[in-house]
Amino acid sequence: MKSKVLLVVSILFGLMFINSGLNKLFNYMPMPEDIPAAMLEVMGAFETIGWLMPLVAGVEILGGILVLFKPLRTLGAVMLFPILVGIMLLHIVNEPSGLVIGLVFFAIELWLLYEGREKLKPLFGA
């Protein structure tokens, strides 16, 4: 039962990141109108660095695709970890209203990393 739940959660998690990465490249989802000024300022700064958003988008797309496949799920989770840390910090510092969904995704990320802990042991010398 746990493996089926993990499969469904992994698929939804991966698709969310694929969609997020594609939206960063193609801007097909409209921006909400109630975004605070501080958040708009941060997003504007990110877009000023011309290579940053395409890099993040590429990592999100690739990481999301890898999470969909069980043998590559841990690698995808490792790739997405810094992005999720950035999402958490952004919401903690600039926009706490989005923190709940960030915590949910961070919890899923930690679950994926925990499930793949055997594959991660060589990274930590164990």
Side-chain angles (χ1 to χ4, degrees):
M1 178 67 175
K2 182 177 94 170
S3 64
K4 289 181 183 179
V5 172
L6 183 61
L7 175 66
V8 170
V9 168
S10 297
I11 290 171
L12 294 174
F13 187 75
L15 290 175
M16 190 283 303
F17 274 100
I18 293 168
N19 182 51
S20 177
L22 289 172
N23 186 54
K24 282 179 182 59
L25 292 177
F26 301 115
N27 297 316
Y28 55 84
M29 291 190 304
M31 292 285 288
E33 294 178 11
D34 59 344
I35 296 178
M39 191 73 144
L40 288 173
E41 189 176 320
V42 170
M43 291 168 56
F46 287 160
E47 290 173 3
T48 301
I49 305 169
W51 55 266
L52 183 61
M53 293 312 272
L55 175 66
V56 172
V59 171
E60 286 181 350
I61 293 167
L62 184 58
I65 290 170
L66 293 175
V67 165
L68 296 177
F69 301 101
K70 186 176 182 178
L72 302 170
R73 189 170 291 151
T74 305
L75 177 60
V78 168
M79 288 179 66
L80 293 173
F81 186 77
I83 292 174
L84 279 157
V85 169
I87 290 169
M88 292 298 297
L89 289 173
L90 186 72
H91 284 292
I92 289 169
V93 173
N94 290 11
E95 185 51 38
S97 68
L99 190 57
V100 173
I101 191 69
L103 286 170
V104 169
F105 281 108
F106 198 72
I108 293 169
E109 171 74 9
L110 292 177
W111 185 24
L112 294 177
L113 291 171
Y114 177 77
E115 290 296 323
R117 66 190 175 277
E118 290 299 318
K119 295 178 181 176
L120 296 174
K121 280 185 179 179
L123 289 175
F124 301 103

